[in-house]
Amino acid sequence: MSVGHTAVTTEPLVSCGGEHEDCGIREVLDRIGDKWSVLVVVELAQGVRRFRQLQRAVPGISQRMLTLTVRRLERDGLVRRTVYPTIPPQVEYELTSMGHSLTHLLKAMADWSAAHREAIAASRRTWDAANPGSGIR
Amino acid sequence: MSVGHTAVTTEPLVSCGGEHEDCGIREVLDRIGDKWSVLVVVELAQGVRRFRQLQRAVPGISQRMLTLTVRRLERDGLVRRTVYPTIPPQVEYELTSMGHSLTHLLKAMADWSAAHREAIAASRRTWDAANPGSGIR
DNA sequence: CAGGATCCGATCCGATACTG
DNA sequence: CAGTATCGGATCGGATCCTG
């Protein structure tokens, strides 16, 4: 029963394939849901980058995390790593075609975020005011 | 090392707004990038659910995590929680309109995952074979 | 420059016990 | 049924030091 509100109930059209429990959503999040991956991918969407260049472009990331992040992206086939045996060493990172396809998904996330950021922030303020000291965040 | 088509470079068209560092992507991931949120949302996309019903529908989730997950979703305005003061207590959870809009994004994630799952798995196998004992995963 | 190795605190999450 | 409270292990990520 609808509770007065709009409740258009426009047919889910969502979820996975019916009664199937999980789609591949968790797999995507396991891959890019960490703290830095999407930021690195977004920067690489601009073009080829070297290691230090990436680190400067992603404020706050440590060498350790940049290394780990870029290694995982390479392992998944989203990023191509090219080493030039020069002195000092030079390493270039760039998105693969699969990496580029991912940026379309990131664009969709950015759009959704922009569209609902205000509403979410407002909902949080309301909820926090109604539930003081709940410990939730 | 080029795999198939190399560098079509179809113009990023991606990223955020130019030189702007971060879009809202990280905000989205901070919200639904945790272990259980998307699974709960996907289940709620099917319709109204009670607490135990949700827990049974999402295999492996503990009461604690279900409570925390559903509370955060409620706080963000993605889920509406309705309490019926009966004995035993009855609580219903359902997606808000904003929650339903999120399912479209989840659909996009599921589609991308399905389209690239094989390629990613293959890339991992190749990488793991070429980098034994790297510790990366 | 581009990392590898190590230490360590913060956080996440599962298991368990208890409550109205 | 629908939670709350507490404990502890596992993982994540930051800081630092070292190397070719």
Side-chain angles (χ1 to χ4, degrees):
Chain A
M1 300 309 174
S2 56
V3 192
H5 231 67
T6 44
V8 186
T9 323
T10 40
E11 272 309 305
L13 79 72
V14 190
S15 58
C16 322
E19 75 295 318
H20 187 246
E21 53 155 83
D22 180 354
C23 343
I25 302 179
R26 281 266 17 119
E27 291 183 42
V28 178
L29 291 177
D30 286 341
R31 227 154 254 133
I32 63 158
D34 67 302
K35 189 170 181 180
W36 300 109
S37 289
V38 297
L39 299 176
V40 170
V41 170
V42 164
E43 178 60 25
L44 287 179
Q46 317 275 56
V48 179
R49 294 289 187 274
R50 296 178 56 176
F51 189 85
R52 299 298 287 188
Q53 206 175 357
L54 263 180
Q55 188 172 8
R56 269 178 257 112
V58 181
I61 195 171
S62 61
Q63 307 115 329
R64 170 183 147 79
M65 288 316 296
L66 180 54
T67 300
L68 287 176
T69 300
V70 92
R71 279 293 180 288
R72 284 192 283 245
L73 292 173
E74 186 198 8
R75 183 171 103 105
D76 290 342
L78 299 169
V79 161
R80 177 168 35 249
R81 177 173 174 264
T82 310
V83 182
Y84 298 94
T86 60
I87 294 178
Q90 177 171 346
V91 179
E92 284 183 354
Y93 295 94
E94 61 186 323
L95 293 186
T96 62
S97 56
M98 186 159 63
H100 272 109
S101 82
L102 177 63
T103 63
H104 297 156
L105 187 57
L106 298 186
K107 177 67 164 50
M109 292 188 202
D111 290 346
W112 189 90
S113 177
H116 303 282
R117 185 177 313 182
E118 292 304 320
I120 289 176
S123 178
R124 288 187 166 197
R125 281 191 297 271
T126 302
W127 198 92
D128 290 349
N131 303 72
S134 66
I136 304 290
R137 45 148 199 169
Chain B
M1 308 304 178
S2 60
V3 185
H5 277 301
T6 34
V8 184
T9 325
T10 42
E11 270 310 302
L13 79 70
V14 190
S15 60
C16 322
E19 74 296 315
H20 188 246
E21 53 153 86
D22 182 353
C23 343
I25 302 180
R26 280 265 19 119
E27 292 182 43
V28 178
L29 291 177
D30 286 341
R31 228 154 254 132
I32 62 158
D34 67 302
K35 189 170 181 178
W36 300 108
S37 290
V38 297
L39 300 176
V40 170
V41 170
V42 164
E43 177 60 26
L44 287 179
Q46 318 275 56
V48 179
R49 294 290 186 273
R50 295 177 57 174
F51 189 86
R52 299 296 288 186
Q53 207 174 357
L54 262 181
Q55 189 172 8
R56 271 179 255 112
V58 181
I61 194 170
S62 62
Q63 308 112 332
R64 171 184 146 81
M65 288 316 295
L66 180 55
T67 300
L68 286 177
T69 301
V70 93
R71 279 292 180 290
R72 283 193 284 244
L73 292 172
E74 185 196 10
R75 183 172 104 107
D76 290 343
L78 299 169
V79 162
R80 177 166 36 247
R81 177 172 175 266
T82 311
V83 181
Y84 298 95
T86 60
I87 294 178
Q90 177 171 347
V91 180
E92 285 183 352
Y93 295 94
E94 62 186 323
L95 293 186
T96 62
S97 55
M98 186 158 62
H100 276 293
S101 82
L102 177 62
T103 63
H104 296 159
L105 187 56
L106 298 186
K107 176 68 164 50
M109 291 189 204
D111 290 346
W112 189 90
S113 176
H116 300 97
R117 185 177 313 179
E118 293 303 320
I120 290 178
S123 178
R124 288 188 167 196
R125 282 191 297 271
T126 303
W127 198 92
D128 289 350
N131 303 72
S134 66
I136 304 291
R137 49 151 196 167

